[in-house]
Amino acid sequence: MSHRPQDRVEELAFPSLWAERHRVIQGRPWSFEGREYLRDIHDDLSEEVVVQKAAQLGFTEFLQNRACHAIDSGRSTIYCLPTSEDVKRHSKTRFNALKDQSPYIDSMFIDTDTIDVKRCGDAALYFFGTIGKTELYGTPADELIVDEVDRCDQDALSTARHRLDGSSKGARSLWVSTPTRPGVGVDVLIKQSDQKEWHVQCPSCDWSGPLDGSGDLEKWTCLWWKGWPKIPEPQDIVQVSDTACVRCPGCGAKWTEDERRAACSAGKWVARLPENASVSGYIITQLVSPTMTTQKIVREFFNARHSPNPHRMEEFVNQTMGKTFKGVGGGISEADVFAAYRQERPSGDLQWCLGVDVGHRKLYCCQGTRIRDGYKQVLWVDRFFVLEGFDWSMTQDKRGHIVSCVIDQYPETAKTEELCSEFGGSVYRARFGDGLGRAYRWNHEDYTVTVGRVEAIDAMHHGIREGRTWIGQGTDSDLGAASKHLTRVITYYSSDNTGQARRKADSKVGGADDYAFAQMGLEAAVTRLAEEREVSWDVPEEDLEPSYASFEDDKDPLGGMTDVLGDRFDSEKEWLRW
């Protein structure tokens, strides 16, 4: 490289200094003003660094700085994002914008500059989407950077970690994520670390500590609002949240927003578990943000508390407070979906079923079957795919004959009725409804099934969360779209016109949910086939791999789901068929 500064040793030892000298953002040199908490993390060159953080705190830009610093230091780096679509979006927009605004960084990548690979001399920056981890094989590196750990395929991340095993320059890994649920992704990693928190000093006394707490926000002693800890009625939310402020847990002094920002700027990282220093960990919430206000944070909390949709509170806890959330109902996260991914397909002459959601001139399909793993039954989702029009050649799929199908009746009522007639009971038309009180109500005379939307969504989510559903990672499966669709359907409580709480189903705004309804159709098709044949879902034991066995000796095929959905089926026999 030409035009190297004379003090290269100093800036390569301190990535924060490197960023201030070479990074330009929005037309200005990089600055840590207002985000002083990022400086020490920039300069943390520990073997393993983990950050559990709230949203919108500048960590994506931090990761880009660290990636470019590593490449400029001659260290090849793998930069992992959840999906290949995330890679394209990040590389084309955020990373290209970084280069366009920063002449020095732009001059680094003159040898190779594609979406996936950017080369600087002997070092290369590789961008990978973690879905479909075979891409990572054969890619040695010195550094690993993972953005949004919880949304990534955890098996792929394990593979990525081993790409550092041959590094002669000292392997380093950096894991950053907004958390989702306990025991998933960054929550596992941060518990193994020294768990540093950003400590601030009270302007009125000697107290210092993190602007953090445990439990619900009204239990946090560092916050105050008029009537605290009482949650105001909906009509009073704006007025009460305008009184919110940080309150010193030591002397009780109420801080102004200027005092909060000044205290956060002068803060420092303090380890909660210094004995775990081998893994350097950081935990941070939006209460240290220079762009958020205490009033806005508290208002979001009040609105989430009053919302009948539990997803609102989940989003607040994860995104605003940077903490894990475990609640009842609601939805699932992409991390839950990715945890269900499996590489190896089951073998044998399996009985394939199909669920189909009818979209605008497209059929969204979900194909799978029921298999056995040890002592439990598992729904194997083999692939998600789209068909243009009603070409029913998919019933002769290359994986084997499809023996049971449930297809959304609407909006193509006439065409779906033709399919039912043509395939003589193999195809059932589905109507989705609320208030059914059970998952399915079958009509075998006209080949229709009424699907309880709330019950079907709960069953689908329970299967994914509890390891009762496995999702194959075949290259012909539309996993990128499916992982998003499955997270957009939710259940929640809402009051009816009599004031009684009722379960309802809905979809989050801002995206499609077709594959979610296709998978619900698959689960209905699987159930119908078991009811019709009253035989094992699996082929004979002698024809299967040792990990699979027959259905008859499974004493609890639902693995505890009876406790969750027990009132939605008519009999124990129907449970066993499910």
Side-chain angles (χ1 to χ4, degrees):
M1 291 290 297
S2 60
H3 306 294
R4 299 284 194 182
Q6 297 300 313
D7 48 355
R8 288 284 288 167
V9 174
E10 183 181 31
E11 69 176 23
L12 293 183
F14 296 96
S16 63
L17 180 60
W18 183 96
E20 290 174 319
R21 288 177 176 172
H22 302 304
R23 179 72 194 277
V24 179
I25 184 168
Q26 297 179 347
R28 300 177 181 177
W30 176 272
S31 172
F32 290 96
E33 183 178 357
R35 301 187 189 274
E36 287 79 6
Y37 52 84
L38 286 175
R39 183 180 290 278
D40 286 350
I41 306 179
H42 267 76
D43 295 335
D44 190 340
L45 300 180
S46 302
E47 183 176 343
E48 185 165 12
V49 177
V50 180
V51 181
Q52 177 178 302
K53 52 89 178 179
Q56 302 301 314
L57 290 174
F59 279 93
T60 297
E61 300 300 334
F62 150 69
L63 290 178
Q64 295 199 117
N65 288 347
R66 279 291 300 263
C68 291
H69 174 269
I71 297 302
D72 200 22
S73 303
R75 299 172 59 84
S76 289
T77 300
I78 293 174
Y79 196 124
C80 286
L81 291 149
T83 69
S84 58
E85 289 301 315
D86 291 324
V87 167
K88 292 177 183 177
R89 184 167 51 251
H90 184 92
S91 182
K92 288 182 177 180
T93 56
R94 304 198 72 157
F95 199 84
N96 282 349
L98 176 153
K99 295 196 294 109
D100 291 343
Q101 296 182 56
S102 307
Y104 180 84
I105 297 175
D106 189 42
S107 71
M108 290 168 50
F109 301 102
I110 57 175
D111 299 326
T112 303
D113 188 0
T114 66
I115 290 176
D116 301 325
V117 181
K118 302 180 187 297
R119 189 173 294 279
C120 172
D122 295 331
L125 175 60
Y126 303 98
F127 286 101
F128 285 117
T130 61
I131 296 179
K133 69 179 182 180
T134 52
E135 293 178 313
L136 291 166
Y137 288 110
T139 308
D142 304 299
E143 298 216 9
L144 170 65
I145 293 175
V146 184
D147 192 359
E148 294 301 342
V149 177
D150 281 40
R151 290 183 56 227
C152 289
D153 177 358
Q154 303 302 304
D155 287 340
L157 294 183
S158 178
T159 298
R161 187 190 287 269
H162 286 296
R163 296 303 91 208
L164 308 181
D165 290 348
S167 174
S168 60
K169 299 177 182 180
R172 293 199 289 253
S173 59
L174 179 53
W175 312 75
V176 175
S177 188
T178 301
T180 53
R181 296 180 180 276
V184 174
V186 75
D187 180 61
V188 175
L189 297 172
I190 202 70
K191 287 177 179 176
Q192 301 169 5
S193 76
D194 58 0
Q195 300 180 26
K196 289 185 281 292
E197 300 171 307
W198 190 246
H199 281 221
V200 299
Q201 174 76 48
C202 175
S204 302
C205 74
D206 293 334
W207 176 87
S208 67
L211 297 182
D212 206 338
S214 59
D216 294 333
L217 209 65
E218 69 266 29
K219 298 177 182 178
W220 288 26
T221 57
C222 66
L223 288 175
W224 180 90
W225 55 81
K226 185 178 180 180
W228 179 91
K230 181 181 178 182
I231 307 298
E233 294 300 318
Q235 64 271 17
D236 299 323
I237 285 177
V238 174
Q239 181 181 356
V240 173
S241 62
D242 283 344
T243 68
C245 64
V246 170
R247 176 178 61 183
C248 173
C251 67
K254 298 180 180 65
W255 300 2
T256 66
E257 280 300 290
D258 287 340
E259 288 174 328
R260 179 189 68 84
R261 282 189 285 267
C264 290
S265 292
K268 62 180 180 179
W269 290 106
V270 177
R272 185 193 300 170
L273 300 174
E275 63 273 20
N276 290 352
S278 59
V279 178
S280 182
Y282 300 85
I283 302 171
I284 190 166
T285 80
Q286 279 195 358
L287 277 172
V288 305
S289 170
T291 57
M292 287 291 285
T293 66
T294 310
Q295 293 80 19
K296 185 176 181 181
I297 291 172
V298 170
R299 188 174 304 160
E300 286 183 3
F301 169 67
F302 290 161
N303 285 324
R305 175 58 67 84
H306 280 289
S307 174
N309 182 349
H311 172 69
R312 290 286 298 275
M313 183 57 74
E314 180 178 15
E315 184 176 49
F316 173 81
V317 172
N318 292 162
Q319 300 290 321
T320 304
M321 306 320 298
K323 296 184 177 295
T324 58
F325 177 85
K326 185 173 179 64
V328 178
I332 55 174
S333 68
E334 285 191 80
D336 294 319
V337 179
F338 295 158
Y341 285 176
R342 296 295 186 274
Q343 284 284 323
E344 186 175 353
R345 295 181 67 246
S347 59
D349 185 17
L350 302 176
Q351 301 171 338
W352 293 111
C353 300
L354 193 71
V356 184
D357 184 63
V358 181
H360 181 60
R361 299 180 181 177
K362 292 182 178 180
L363 301 180
Y364 291 85
C365 305
C366 180
Q367 179 178 330
T369 188
R370 184 77 64 181
I371 62 174
R372 187 187 231 296
D373 177 57
Y375 292 99
K376 68 180 179 181
Q377 293 292 315
V378 175
L379 176 70
W380 174 265
V381 179
D382 197 65
R383 62 170 180 155
F384 297 93
F385 60 100
V386 172
L387 288 179
E388 303 288 343
F390 277 76
D391 177 8
W392 213 243
S393 59
M394 59 182 154
T395 57
Q396 295 294 338
D397 181 73
K398 62 184 179 181
R399 289 168 174 75
H401 188 67
I402 291 175
V403 296
S404 177
C405 173
V406 171
I407 183 170
D408 186 9
Q409 179 173 345
Y410 303 107
E412 300 287 351
T413 308
K415 290 184 178 180
T416 55
E417 188 172 355
E418 290 176 10
L419 288 173
C420 289
S421 300
E422 181 179 353
F423 290 96
S426 295
V427 180
Y428 274 62
R429 293 170 293 154
R431 309 182 185 100
F432 287 86
D434 294 324
L436 190 63
R438 54 185 291 195
Y440 313 115
R441 182 176 295 147
W442 300 93
N443 186 325
H444 300 297
E445 294 182 0
D446 63 0
Y447 304 125
T448 62
V449 56
T450 303
V451 180
R453 188 158 42 184
V454 168
E455 293 81 6
I457 291 173
D458 281 347
M460 179 176 68
H461 287 174
H462 182 85
I464 291 173
R465 284 176 177 165
E466 301 302 318
R468 311 287 305 188
T469 297
W470 293 354
I471 301 174
Q473 288 187 264
T475 57
D476 58 349
S477 186
D478 191 9
L479 290 176
S483 64
K484 292 179 172 58
H485 289 204
L486 295 176
T487 65
R488 288 191 176 121
V489 291
I490 56 175
T491 60
Y492 61 95
Y493 282 97
S494 181
S495 299
D496 60 18
N497 53 14
T498 67
Q500 186 173 357
R502 302 282 187 185
R503 293 294 303 286
K504 296 188 68 175
D506 204 349
S507 296
K508 303 176 190 175
V509 297
D513 57 12
D514 304 274
Y515 281 131
F517 283 90
Q519 182 167 325
M520 285 183 259
L522 169 65
E523 297 189 18
V526 166
T527 301
R528 188 202 67 77
L529 188 61
E531 179 177 305
E532 176 187 273
R533 300 188 177 185
E534 298 190 5
V535 295
S536 167
W537 268 113
D538 307 300
V539 297
E541 183 173 359
E542 60 269 21
D543 295 335
L544 293 180
E545 298 293 330
S547 59
Y548 302 104
S550 64
F551 179 84
E552 287 81 3
D553 62 343
D554 191 349
K555 303 304 182 183
D556 183 15
L558 298 179
M561 190 175 285
T562 308
D563 298 334
V564 179
L565 303 173
D567 60 343
R568 295 172 186 160
F569 294 83
D570 290 342
S571 67
E572 181 180 356
K573 188 175 183 179
E574 187 175 353
W575 270 113
L576 295 176
R577 288 170 178 166
W578 193 97

